[in-house]
Amino acid sequence: VSHNAVCWNLEGGTATQRTLLSNPGGLLVQYSRAMAESRFGSFIVGARATAPIPGDPAMLQGVLLQPFLWRTSATSCNEVAAQQIPMLPGFNSCIAEDVSKDGSTVVGSCSSLSVDATGNLSVDDYESFVFDVGSGVIRSITAVLTSYGETAHHGLTLYQATGVSKDGRWACGNAFNNTTGTSVAWVANLRGRPRFVGPSIPPSTPARPPIRL
């Protein structure tokens, strides 16, 4: 099975397709995925397959993902460089979901995946992250908010960051309400106050965070 992240360039009215990043050899499932690009197309984020999920060597339940930042030539869609984004400690599968205009800030989501003896997929933990490209530091968004003394997010698991503003200041995503068992949306200011806004959508969806492969 092969599924590759690609980039299309429409310069001159002609669509040109290029594969962003080939998958590592030796995997039964070849998988990479582009999730978002910066405003002018110079930065693209996503993930690629790295290994089988523990307990599932045949990859029947999917693969573990490593987040990536691709730097491209906006005029030709040629890959200039591919930067592997580190995992949050304690997690084995992550995906980058959005990038700021200048490519300096990346947000995404991490999971801790395993397959039990009966072949069922288990998600043991999940968390949203923010990655500072310049310093190479990845942090959970929960940890960022807590470090500033924010408490409005207490009782929520911020399991997914789906977007970041063009200046890298604001992030948004989905959270799990640990009391009501429902999904809610959140918005967080990563650099100033107010730090956290949410839940902004009334609980409605019975929540177990979706497994994204």
Side-chain angles (χ1 to χ4, degrees):
V1 178
S2 181
H3 183 292
N4 290 322
V6 297
C7 174
W8 288 272
N9 182 271
L10 303 179
E11 189 75 21
T14 302
T16 302
Q17 175 181 314
R18 296 183 184 276
T19 299
L20 287 173
L21 184 69
S22 59
N23 285 276
L27 294 180
L28 297 176
V29 176
Q30 299 290 302
Y31 184 97
S32 62
R33 183 175 183 178
M35 295 297 294
E37 67 172 353
S38 61
R39 182 177 179 183
F40 297 114
S42 297
F43 302 94
I44 300 174
V45 292
R48 78 169 184 180
T50 59
I53 298 172
D56 183 29
M59 297 186 177
L60 299 178
Q61 294 286 4
V63 290
L64 299 179
L65 298 178
Q66 178 75 49
F68 264 85
L69 168 67
W70 294 283
R71 303 170 190 268
T72 67
S73 168
T75 57
S76 67
C77 219
N78 287 325
E79 180 184 316
V80 177
Q83 180 177 353
Q84 180 173 295
I85 297 173
M87 302 273 194
L88 280 176
F91 294 85
N92 61 8
S93 187
C94 301
I95 185 167
E97 303 207 37
D98 201 10
V99 59
S100 61
K101 176 182 175 180
D102 64 358
S104 64
T105 304
V106 177
V107 298
S109 312
C110 288
S111 302
S112 181
L113 306 179
S114 62
V115 174
D116 63 25
T118 62
N120 293 317
L121 182 63
S122 174
V123 184
D124 301 315
D125 201 2
Y126 25 76
E127 186 63 74
S128 59
F129 71 79
V130 57
F131 175 64
D132 182 84
V133 176
S135 66
V137 174
I138 186 172
R139 301 177 68 189
S140 75
I141 291 178
T142 296
V144 171
L145 295 172
T146 300
S147 71
Y148 288 114
E150 180 62 77
T151 60
H153 63 292
H154 289 181
L156 300 175
T157 298
L158 310 183
Y159 67 83
Q160 185 179 31
T162 58
V164 65
S165 59
K166 65 181 182 180
D167 62 359
R169 181 179 295 275
W170 290 88
C172 64
N174 298 303
F176 179 72
N177 188 311
N178 300 321
T179 301
T180 64
T182 54
S183 282
V184 295
W186 58 266
V187 177
N189 188 337
L190 303 177
R191 301 178 188 173
R193 292 190 177 277
R195 291 287 175 189
F196 187 79
V197 181
S200 59
I201 295 178
S204 59
T205 307
R208 179 162 181 83
I211 299 167
R212 303 185 60 177
L213 300 179

